[in-house]
């Protein structure tokens, strides 16, 4: 990276951060429409409690491993197409397109498999759900896969990271799934599935399975959940993953040459302390403004 | 889910699946060795057998996962698949150094690694799950065989030599130096095979779990996942081996995938409570 | 659901016989490694075992609530522990490997710490956004279900726990635990990668397969092999640690945290075993 102008590297860093932000947002909305990740347990539980629903139930795997596969596969296919002397942009688009096809196939088999196994509780398979939700999740998945694979390509080619493209895909795919599920899941799981429960409190364990099944008009399907989570959980996941990628590259590009590598470490520690301080601030802010649920008790009486 | 998923009733016993999967997988991997018997310089037309080996191993693997996860291992089903391939990749790469004996060595090494990991999980970590050691041994073997099969599909061979030999097309533009960067290991396509297998092994059980789990439906889904993974590896192999040989793999994988995907739809329709298109939520008594 | 019902079943008890057998196996493995690879392999193997221990120890710090956390029923991050730790650790590996590659005279300590800080940074951002969503998206303050007082800040917890739940969000101790877990994970992953990379760079050019390549030619092979082995060993250690804490944990203040000694023994054996196999690939070419 010595002979590349610094301005160019900073531009690529910003570009990678922006791509990661798009990827994080699309990833979270995709998994919320598909009820992938932890809120899936409630979609699975509801029919057993007698609440038959029309929500998409796409249990491919947890989000990190599933996204690990999509991004690694997209990167691997793009790599293979580039090895056939194909233009990189075309190779990435083609690779991501084929990966989206795989994602769609896995989505259909996951929905059919889970729903057919719930026959005992009378949960029917809705073919219209399969047709309309799968295509929408595929569209979101394409955005996320394309953005992340492009980001990995930039990191590898323009910034000179030593890892080959598929390995970078594996690293950032798992990180994307981890960041997206950590940030986005509670918002979909609590705030949307249990909209009728008290606001500003966790879902009581006794209410488990009683998910909202009716919409403003008619019966709720997962596209309604997509509209809702796209307002906060998606963008927040995007900013989360974007910051992770941006700060990680930024500290290496700018501060790695300082002090034989200690510069990047010091900057990283400072960033951790800043995030800890903001986190502590909002935690105290919430305690003050939202207040306790019950009167403080000296001994554990509850 | 704390609910213990019921033990397998009826159906094919696990040991039958184990033996069939292991033998089929090994035979298919060895069939790729036919490539070396072809006249020198001819394309590796038998590479597709590697993909079939991966399909057979994944078919067996889905049932092993079912066998193990019936006990409630405390964390998700996917993590078992990751462990399987984490130990499998280590055994498989070491085994590739043993030339023609590689598949057998891979099975033995994976069994040893799996046995020690299973002992550690069961006894040191105190999980005390009766099938733990056997299942982790099986999963490590499956991980190694799937990776070796997919690697053989992508390169036409299963030795270390073929895994590090680069693409015939010049990627870096330097012709007199062997192009190690454009190989399965150098380009880290192994990472793709790792994730393809890691998801395909756990998906059939993860997607079919529930009170109405049926064995034939899960096993067909395992074949479907296997052929889908094979299809993807076959597409990637176009960049590494002769296009004609790669296209044979693509066509076989695609036909296998279409057939099993269609069959899975039929079986899901058979097992589902109802098969509705644009219908409202049915009225259930009491709600 | 499991998280709520699960009580520490076997506690922190160690099985002395099994642990003893395991440690004997480990010593045998180290001996085998020295016999076939000499000093360079021995040093690398010890580094790999230390890396594995860092990963397994780090996973115990990461606050993970699993499915109940997604409903605000239990504190922690709403995802699986093994994969969250992998996400942080691999992000650290990304930084550590890069730091090693860009320096002309790379220093092992600097690269490992850079990897650790990378993992810690990833967890700091993720944990902050978890609290952000809980507080500004759902209006729920953080509360721990396992302790009455946050040991770091002294904040009382039970009255901030909403009715019918085990707590929610990430109290500050869990945030700090997450960051520490990320640091250990990132450092461990980087250490394993660099140990393997050094041996491969040293030995691969001498192998007959690579007779024409030279050190620069085998570099992609060395990086890829070390990278995929590091990922594989990371996943094995993270899953074993996840088995040890049975899926969910709140952080260093959780009673389950006390189970870590047996995870360290397990991880030392597993890392030693995988390390021997991963290093042997360059020492036993037939």
């Amino acid at each position: 990276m010595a002979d590349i102008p610094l301005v160019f590297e900073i531009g690529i860093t910003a570009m990678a951060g922006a791509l990661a932000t798009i990827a994080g947002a699309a990833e979270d909305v995709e998994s919320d429409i598909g009820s992938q990740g932890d809120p899936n347990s409630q979609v699975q539980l509801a029919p057993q409690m007698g609440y038959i629903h029309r929500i998409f139930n796409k249990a491919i795997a947890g989000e990190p491993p599933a996204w690990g596969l999509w991004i690694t596969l997209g990167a691997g296919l793009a790599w293979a197409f580039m090895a056939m002397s194909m233009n990189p942009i075309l190779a990435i688009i083609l690779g991501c397109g084929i990966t989206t096809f795989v994602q769609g196939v896995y989505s259909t088999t996951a929905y059919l498999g889970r729903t057919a196994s719930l026959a005992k509780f009378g949960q029917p398979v809705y073919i219209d759900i399969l047709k309309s939700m799968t295509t929408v999740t595929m569209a979101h998945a394409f955005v996320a896969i394309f953005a992340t694979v492009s980001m990995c390509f930039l990191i590898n080619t323009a910034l000179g990271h030593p890892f080959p493209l598929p390995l970078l895909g594996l690293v950032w795919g798992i990180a994307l799934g981890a960041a997206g599920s950590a940030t986005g899941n509670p918002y979909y799981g609590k705030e949307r599935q249990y909209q009728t429960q008290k606001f500003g409190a966790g879902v009581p364990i006794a209410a488990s399975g009683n998910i909202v099944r009716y919409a403003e008009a008619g019966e709720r399907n997962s596209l309604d959940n997509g509209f809702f989570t796209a307002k906060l959980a998606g963008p927040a996941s995007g900013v989360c993953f974007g910051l992770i990628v941006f700060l990680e590259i930024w500290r290496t590009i700018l501060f790695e040459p300082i002090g034989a590598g200690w510069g990047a470490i010091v900057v990283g520690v400072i960033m951790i302390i800043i995030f800890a301080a903001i986190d502590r601030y909002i935690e105290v802010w919430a305690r003050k403004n939202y207040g306790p649920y019950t009167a403080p008790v000296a001994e554990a009486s509850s | 889910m704390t609910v213990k998923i019921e033990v397998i009733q009826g159906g094919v016993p696990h040991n039958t699946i184990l033996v069939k999967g292991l033998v089929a997988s090994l035979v298919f991997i060895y069939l790729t060795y036919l490539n070396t018997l072809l006249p020198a310089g001819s394309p590796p037309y038998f590479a597709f057998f590697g993909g079939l080996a991966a399909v057979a191993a994944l078919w067996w693997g889905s049932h092993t996962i079912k066998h193990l996860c019936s006990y409630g291992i405390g964390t998700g089903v996917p993590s078992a698949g990751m462990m399987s391939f984490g130990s499998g990749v280590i055994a498989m790469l070491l085994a590739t150094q043993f030339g023609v004996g590689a598949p057998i060595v891979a099975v033995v090494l994976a069994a040893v690694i799996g046995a020690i990991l299973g002992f550690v999980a069961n006894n040191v970590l105190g999980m005390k799950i009766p099938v733990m050691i056997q299942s982790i041994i099986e999963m490590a073997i499956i991980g190694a065989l799937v990776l070796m099969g997919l690697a053989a599909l992508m390169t036409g061979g299963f030795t270390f030599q073929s895994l590090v030999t680069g693409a015939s097309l010049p990627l870096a533009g330097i012709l007199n130096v062997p192009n190690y960067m454009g190989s399965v290991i150098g380009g880290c396509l192994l990472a793709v095979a790792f994730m393809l297998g890691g998801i395909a092994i756990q998906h059939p059980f993860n997607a079919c779990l529930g009170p109405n789990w049926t064995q034939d439906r899960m096993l067909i889904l395992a074949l479907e996942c296997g052929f889908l993974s094979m299809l993807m590896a076959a597409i990637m192999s176009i960049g590494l081996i002769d296009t004609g040989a790669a296209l044979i793999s693509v066509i076989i994988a695609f036909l296998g995938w279409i057939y099993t995907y269609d069959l899975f739809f039929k079986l899901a329709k058979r097992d589902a409570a109802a098969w509705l298109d644009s219908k409202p939520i049915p009225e259930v008594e009491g709600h | 659901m499991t998280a709520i019902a699960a009580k520490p079943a076997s506690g922190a008890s160690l099985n002395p016989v099994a642990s003893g057998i395991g440690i004997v196996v480990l010593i045998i493995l180290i001996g085998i490694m020295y016999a076939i690879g000499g000093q360079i392999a021995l040093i690398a193997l010890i580094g790999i075992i230390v890396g594995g221990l860092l990963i397994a120890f780090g996973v115990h710090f990461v606050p993970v609530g699993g499915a109940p956390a997604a409903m605000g029923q239990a504190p922690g991050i709403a995802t699986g522990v093994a994969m969250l730790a992998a996400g942080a650790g691999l992000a650290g590996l990304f930084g550590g490997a890069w730091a090693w590659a860009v320096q002309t005279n790379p220093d092992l300590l600097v690269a490992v710490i850079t990897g650790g800080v990378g993992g810690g940074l990833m967890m700091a951002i993720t944990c902050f956004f978890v609290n952000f969503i809980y507080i500004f998206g759902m209006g729920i303050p953080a509360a721990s279900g396992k302790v009455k007082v946050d040991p770091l800040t002294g904040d009382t917890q039970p009255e901030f726990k909403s009715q019918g739940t085990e707590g929610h969000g990430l109290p500050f101790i869990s945030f700090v635990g997450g960051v520490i877990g990320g640091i250990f994970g990132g450092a461990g992953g980087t250490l394993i990668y660099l140990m393997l990379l050094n041996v491969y760079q040293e030995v691969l050019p001498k192998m007959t397969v690579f007779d024409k390549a030279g050190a620069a030619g085998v570099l992609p092979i060395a990086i890829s092999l070390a990278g995929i082995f590091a990922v594989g060993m990371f996943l094995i250690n993270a899953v074993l640690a996840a088995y040890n804490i049975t899926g969910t944990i709140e952080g260093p203040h959780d009673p389950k945290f006390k189970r870590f000694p047996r995870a360290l023994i397990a991880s030392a054996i597993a890392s030693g075993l995988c390390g021997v196999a991963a290093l042997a690939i360059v020492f036993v070419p037939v």
Side-chain angles (χ1 to χ4, degrees):
Chain A
M1 57 192 262
D3 48 348
I4 312 169
L6 190 62
V7 182
F8 174 76
E9 289 184 336
I10 294 172
I12 295 291
T13 307
M15 181 81 182
L19 285 170
T21 309
I22 297 167
E27 188 271 354
D28 184 63
V29 177
E30 189 268 353
S31 76
D32 288 345
I33 293 175
S35 301
Q36 206 177 348
D38 290 311
N40 175 273
S41 63
Q42 305 303 301
V43 177
Q44 179 76 7
L45 184 66
Q48 309 189 24
M49 301 294 186
Y51 304 107
I52 308 295
H53 59 72
R54 277 170 53 89
I55 309 283
F56 197 29
N57 182 355
K58 177 169 77 74
I60 295 167
E63 279 177 62
W67 281 92
L69 171 60
W70 312 149
I71 308 299
T72 316
L73 183 57
L77 288 167
W79 183 93
F81 290 136
M82 279 184 252
M84 295 173 217
S85 316
M86 202 184 267
N87 178 309
I89 295 176
L90 189 60
I92 292 174
I93 292 176
L94 209 54
C96 297
I98 296 173
T99 309
T100 310
F101 159 78
V102 175
Q103 186 265 355
V105 171
Y106 269 110
S107 303
T108 55
T109 55
Y111 176 71
L112 286 177
R114 278 276 171 112
T115 314
S117 287
L118 284 171
K120 189 179 170 189
F121 305 110
Q123 171 72 38
V125 170
Y126 288 106
I127 292 302
D128 58 314
I129 293 280
L130 197 60
K131 284 185 285 200
S132 52
M133 311 291 135
T134 307
T135 41
V136 175
T137 59
M138 281 168 77
H140 282 88
F142 180 80
V143 173
I145 296 167
F146 178 72
T148 315
V149 173
S150 308
M151 176 196 99
C152 293
F153 179 73
L154 288 178
I155 293 173
N156 178 268
T157 314
L159 298 181
H161 193 281
F163 283 179
L165 190 56
L167 193 58
L168 276 179
L170 178 61
V171 167
W172 285 119
I174 292 181
L176 168 65
S181 64
T183 310
N185 275 354
Y187 193 65
Y188 170 52
K190 153 75 201 20
E191 206 56 26
R192 184 59 171 172
Q193 285 184 332
Y194 291 100
Q195 216 171 358
T196 48
Q197 301 290 328
K198 208 190 291 177
F199 179 79
V203 178
I205 290 157
S208 289
N210 186 9
I211 58 172
V212 175
R213 300 174 296 147
Y214 295 95
E216 291 79 359
E219 287 163 358
R220 176 181 285 184
N221 64 34
S222 288
L223 295 184
D224 301 326
N225 293 340
F227 294 148
F228 183 81
T229 50
K231 288 176 191 162
L232 180 65
S237 304
V239 174
C240 176
F241 187 58
L243 277 177
I244 291 170
V245 170
F246 176 76
L247 291 177
E248 191 64 41
I249 304 175
W250 173 78
R251 78 182 174 105
T252 306
I253 291 292
L254 281 187
F255 301 101
E256 189 64 36
I258 299 171
W262 286 101
I265 294 172
V266 171
V267 171
V269 171
I270 292 173
M271 296 311 303
I272 291 176
I273 292 170
I274 290 174
F275 275 103
I278 306 173
D279 175 80
R280 180 65 191 149
Y281 175 77
I282 64 165
E283 189 194 339
V284 172
W285 184 90
R287 287 172 68 91
K288 250 191 241 148
N289 283 278
Y290 300 160
Y293 294 99
T294 53
V297 276
E299 70 278 10
S301 55
S302 60
Chain B
M1 326 245 152
T2 39
V3 190
K4 184 178 175 297
I5 300 131
E6 64 281 5
V7 200
I8 308 153
Q9 317 111 330
V12 186
H14 181 67
N15 284 346
T16 315
I17 291 178
L18 188 165
V19 173
K20 280 186 185 169
L22 179 62
V23 172
S25 190
L26 274 178
V27 168
F28 281 136
I29 288 189
Y30 267 113
L31 283 175
T32 62
Y33 200 70
L34 290 174
N35 285 328
T36 55
L37 305 179
L38 291 171
S42 62
Y45 286 122
F46 295 106
F48 69 90
F49 279 117
L52 295 180
V55 173
L58 286 170
W59 176 77
W60 161 32
S62 72
H63 208 264
T64 303
I65 293 261
K66 151 81 184 161
H67 206 56
L68 171 65
C69 293
S70 301
Y71 286 87
I73 48 175
T75 181
V77 178
S79 66
M82 290 293 126
M83 177 115 149
S84 157
F85 278 78
S87 41
V89 70
I90 292 165
M92 171 263 181
L93 277 175
L94 177 54
T96 54
Q97 292 285 13
F98 290 85
V100 66
I104 303 279
V105 176
V107 170
V108 174
L109 271 175
V112 171
I113 292 179
I116 298 181
L117 288 181
F119 170 80
V120 162
N122 226 13
N123 296 54
V124 179
L125 296 180
M127 292 186 78
K128 300 191 182 67
I129 292 173
V131 298
M132 190 80 183
I133 296 181
Q134 194 203 337
S135 298
I136 292 191
I137 292 176
E138 285 180 38
M139 290 200 302
I141 296 174
I142 292 158
L145 286 178
V146 171
L147 288 168
M148 191 170 270
L150 291 178
L153 173 75
M154 287 190 272
T155 60
F158 48 71
T159 55
F160 193 69
Q161 171 87 54
S162 58
L163 294 192
V164 296
T165 308
S168 44
L169 294 161
L171 186 70
I174 310 158
L175 286 166
N176 52 349
V177 176
N179 181 13
Y180 295 116
M181 197 185 267
S183 63
V184 164
I185 291 181
C188 218
L189 289 186
L190 215 52
V192 187
F194 185 101
M195 287 312 297
L196 276 174
I199 296 294
I201 192 177
Q202 58 81 33
H203 180 73
F205 176 62
N206 198 31
C208 287
L209 63 81
N212 291 80
W213 175 86
T214 46
Q215 191 189 40
D216 54 349
R217 183 159 52 96
M218 186 189 79
L219 290 178
I220 288 297
L221 182 54
L223 289 179
E224 190 266 341
C225 292
F227 279 116
L228 188 61
S229 305
M230 178 183 168
L231 179 62
M232 290 302 125
I235 292 175
M236 281 186 285
S237 76
I238 303 175
L240 289 166
I241 58 173
D242 177 79
T243 313
L247 280 180
I248 294 177
S249 309
V250 170
I251 291 166
I252 290 175
F254 188 73
L255 291 178
W257 172 73
I258 280 281
Y259 176 73
T260 47
Y261 191 58
D262 183 58
L263 198 56
F264 176 73
F265 263 70
K266 291 201 176 86
L267 291 177
K269 200 168 182 174
R270 179 199 72 189
D271 290 345
W275 191 266
L276 306 175
D277 197 351
S278 304
K279 294 283 184 298
I281 298 171
E283 291 297 322
V284 182
E285 65 285 357
H287 288 284
Chain C
M1 283 154 284
T2 326
I4 294 153
K7 292 277 171 286
S10 46
S13 63
L14 270 169
N15 181 342
V17 180
S19 306
I21 296 173
I23 288 168
V24 170
V25 171
L26 179 63
I27 293 168
I28 294 172
L29 286 169
I30 294 174
I32 293 174
M33 194 74 258
Y34 185 69
I36 60 174
Q39 203 180 357
I40 178 174
L42 185 68
I43 293 169
L45 183 66
I46 290 170
I48 290 168
I49 294 172
V50 172
L53 291 175
L54 285 173
I55 295 167
F57 189 48
V59 172
H60 287 70
F61 283 93
V62 178
V64 168
M71 264 60 65
Q73 289 173 344
I77 300 173
T79 189
V81 66
M83 296 317 286
L84 181 65
L90 297 183
L93 172 60
F94 169 86
W98 203 3
W100 180 265
V102 296
Q103 295 290 347
T104 38
N105 286 313
D107 182 24
L108 183 69
L109 184 69
V110 171
V112 169
I113 295 178
T114 306
V117 170
L121 186 59
M122 189 275 185
M123 283 305 294
I125 298 171
T126 308
C127 291
F128 162 69
F129 271 93
V130 170
N131 266 346
F132 174 85
I133 284 281
Y134 267 101
I135 289 167
F136 297 116
M138 295 146 69
I140 303 176
S144 160
K146 297 276 171 70
V147 289
K148 290 203 186 68
V149 173
D150 186 327
L152 270 184
T153 59
D155 289 346
T156 53
Q157 303 290 325
E159 69 266 26
F160 285 92
K161 215 162 70 176
S162 54
Q163 206 179 2
T165 66
E166 292 282 298
H168 24 61
L170 291 173
F172 196 62
I173 178 78
S174 296
F175 179 94
V176 173
V179 172
I180 295 173
I183 290 175
F184 278 127
T190 311
L191 185 59
I192 292 180
Y193 167 78
L194 292 178
M195 284 295 154
L196 288 169
L197 184 67
N198 280 350
V199 173
Y200 292 159
Q201 278 186 311
E202 186 81 16
V203 184
L204 276 178
K206 296 176 195 155
M207 287 170 70
T208 47
V209 182
F210 301 107
D211 52 347
K212 285 175 284 184
V218 298
L219 190 63
I221 300 281
I223 287 174
S224 288
L225 273 180
I228 193 80
F229 278 138
V231 170
M233 282 189 225
F234 197 103
L235 290 173
I236 291 174
N237 277 308
V239 174
L240 282 178
Y243 284 165
N244 189 38
I245 58 178
T246 55
T248 60
I249 189 165
E250 269 190 32
H253 57 293
D254 193 302
K256 285 182 186 176
F257 183 75
K258 295 196 183 69
R259 295 185 195 174
F260 76 84
R262 55 184 196 191
L264 293 186
I265 294 175
S267 158
I269 301 162
S271 314
L273 177 68
C274 298
V276 168
L279 290 169
I281 184 170
V282 290
F283 290 114
V284 285
V286 173

